[in-house]
Amino acid sequence: MITNNQSTILVSIILVNYNGADVLPDCLYSIEKFIPKDDCEVILVDNNSQDNSLDFVSQNFPDITIIKLQKNCGFGAGNNAGAKVARGKFLFLLNTDTVLTSNIFPPIIDLIENSLNVGIIGTKLLFPDKSFQISFAYKVGIKGEYKTSRLYKSIQEKSQLIRLETNFQENKEVDFVTGAAFFIRTDLFKSLGGFDEKFFMYFEDSDLCQRVQNQGYKILYTPNVSLIHIRGHSMKKNTNAMAVEYRRSQLYFYQKHRPLWERLVLKFYLFIKFVYEFAKTRNSYSLEILKLLIT
């Protein structure tokens, strides 16, 4: 069992949990199986879960540090709460819907310690069937989002997905890596103030990657270690609310990082898209997004 009662902590694994009883056990058991306890700690931040996930952790993993929040504060705020008590030289921010299949830390630590200009490392992610999952993207902006959208559309063909995986067989500098498995220097994370908590969910990892790059650090994707990610687990629980939250965060990101013309183009595109969608379907979330655009 991993414990935090060590004098020297190299990696702090931070998990943010919200009603994750159906996925959390597999994640924690995989950490217990593959990650040596000598110099690692596990911190679980709970966003006011209403299921039995905290009881499960308390009963089966008594050495894990648990932080209970009084409400669902979101992904970024949850990780920030964990980082405040973390004692590791590095932070590994890990989604609860992941499963480790090996001890991924030795190669990642070796890579980041020998690359002083690297601030964040993202691992290779796999679907439960072990097929390749995209965990990187272009810089968020009109051009970048268009290129990322085309990338996702292209991999609907299996041959294109295989080709993409083949093209990422070596470490590569990228614009963005997903927060599902996010390895970052603790001092860098704290110097930037952690995640911007105005992002409740979505784009908080893009924002942090952008700010890390603004400090002159690189974002690195490595295929040399991998783990399983059950993508979209938390989003399935309230699809409409998540659709609204996605657009709220997207608009805030553009306001924070993109020039005026891009902000205007995005708003115009979204207005046309959701006026049409609301007229066609009368979906409540389309109306909510329209309200975002005119406030």
Side-chain angles (χ1 to χ4, degrees), residues 80 91 93 112 115-122 139 173-177 182-196 203-221 253 256-257:
N80 286 348
L91 304 177
L93 314 181
I112 201 167
S115 307
L116 298 180
N117 60 345
V118 172
I120 297 172
I121 296 177
K139 187 183 297 290
E173 182 181 356
V174 294
D175 293 325
F176 157 85
V177 290
F182 203 87
F183 195 89
I184 184 170
R185 302 174 188 275
T186 302
D187 56 357
L188 176 60
F189 184 85
K190 292 184 176 181
S191 72
L192 292 171
F195 286 111
D196 182 341
F203 288 90
E204 67 282 287
D205 43 8
S206 300
D207 171 72
L208 185 59
C209 285
Q210 179 68 68
R211 288 187 286 130
V212 164
Q213 290 172 316
N214 291 346
Q215 294 297 312
Y217 287 92
K218 294 180 179 180
I219 313 295
L220 206 64
Y221 166 83
F253 183 96
K256 187 174 180 181
H257 294 291

Side-chain angles (χ1 to χ4, degrees), residues 87-134:
R87 297 181 291 138
K89 181 179 179 180
F90 304 104
L91 304 177
F92 186 50
L93 314 181
L94 185 66
N95 276 18
T96 56
D97 60 343
T98 57
V99 176
L100 302 187
T101 57
S102 65
N103 180 6
I104 64 174
F105 289 147
I108 295 179
I109 292 170
D110 182 66
L111 179 60
I112 201 167
E113 288 193 329
N114 287 285
S115 307
L116 298 180
N117 60 345
V118 172
I120 297 172
I121 296 177
T123 71
K124 182 177 183 179
L125 298 183
L126 302 172
F127 286 106
D129 65 0
K130 303 298 179 68
S131 61
F132 181 66
Q133 182 179 133
I134 295 179

